[in-house]
Amino acid sequence: MKIMEKVWGSLGILEPIEIEEERGKSDDFEGRGKKNNLVNLSNAQKPLKVIVVEPFSFDDAQHIADHLKNRKPVVINFENTDAEVAKRMIDFISGSTYALSGTIQKIGNHIFFCAPVNVDIAYSGREEANDKLFLSWNK
């Protein structure tokens, strides 16, 4: 097995870890770290699932906050949402996002991207004029 361990180690798919063993009082040995080898055949992480929501009532705001609480990014499309309901929802979701240390970004006309703390947003196409048209209450 030593040859395979060397091959896997050179490919970066074998990672040594240290595990501390706990021993009972009846043992004459103290707890010591042992070097074990783990084989990690896939270094790729599980793909991140993005939730897309088209809310119609204020009740949908809590579902969006629940997705953010579960560390899932959410795209919200307010195109078919009443303007007053959309305003209230943005206020609620902005507060929820802030409380969860996330970020919210307008990415299009009536479309917002809410990212939990484990997701970074890199967006450079933001236009202030469009923000003021949709977020007229946010002057």
Side-chain angles (χ1 to χ4, degrees):
M1 200 64 184
K2 293 280 186 188
I3 295 172
M4 290 307 292
E5 289 175 3
K6 288 181 183 179
V7 171
W8 289 339
S10 66
L11 293 175
I13 57 177
L14 180 72
E15 300 174 11
I17 63 165
E18 299 223 1
I19 299 175
E20 287 189 26
E21 293 181 356
E22 291 185 23
R23 302 199 183 261
K25 290 183 180 179
S26 63
D27 261 340
D28 292 336
F29 301 105
E30 294 180 14
R32 287 180 259 200
K34 268 193 171 179
K35 204 171 194 177
N36 292 331
N37 291 322
L38 289 179
V39 178
N40 184 4
L41 296 178
S42 70
N43 287 335
Q45 293 179 354
K46 184 178 175 185
L48 189 62
K49 185 176 184 180
V50 177
I51 310 296
V52 179
V53 179
E54 292 183 353
F56 292 103
S57 68
F58 185 77
D59 296 335
D60 295 326
Q62 185 175 355
H63 298 294
I64 294 167
D66 288 340
H67 289 304
L68 291 170
K69 232 167 69 170
N70 294 324
R71 294 182 170 228
K72 294 179 183 171
V74 181
V75 174
I76 309 166
N77 183 353
F78 287 113
E79 289 178 339
N80 297 323
T81 308
D82 179 62
E84 192 61 32
V85 172
K87 175 187 179 268
R88 289 180 57 215
M89 287 185 75
I90 286 294
D91 289 344
F92 179 84
I93 294 166
S94 294
S96 300
T97 304
Y98 176 78
L100 296 169
S101 301
T103 55
I104 185 168
Q105 176 74 44
K106 183 174 182 180
I107 59 173
N109 195 22
H110 306 288
I111 299 173
F112 291 82
F113 182 70
C114 301
V117 69
N118 63 323
V119 176
D120 290 328
I121 299 176
Y123 182 71
S124 61
R126 186 173 181 183
E127 296 177 13
E128 289 295 323
N130 286 343
D131 284 348
K132 291 183 180 179
L133 289 175
F134 183 73
L135 301 173
S136 58
W137 64 88
N138 192 18
K139 292 182 180 179

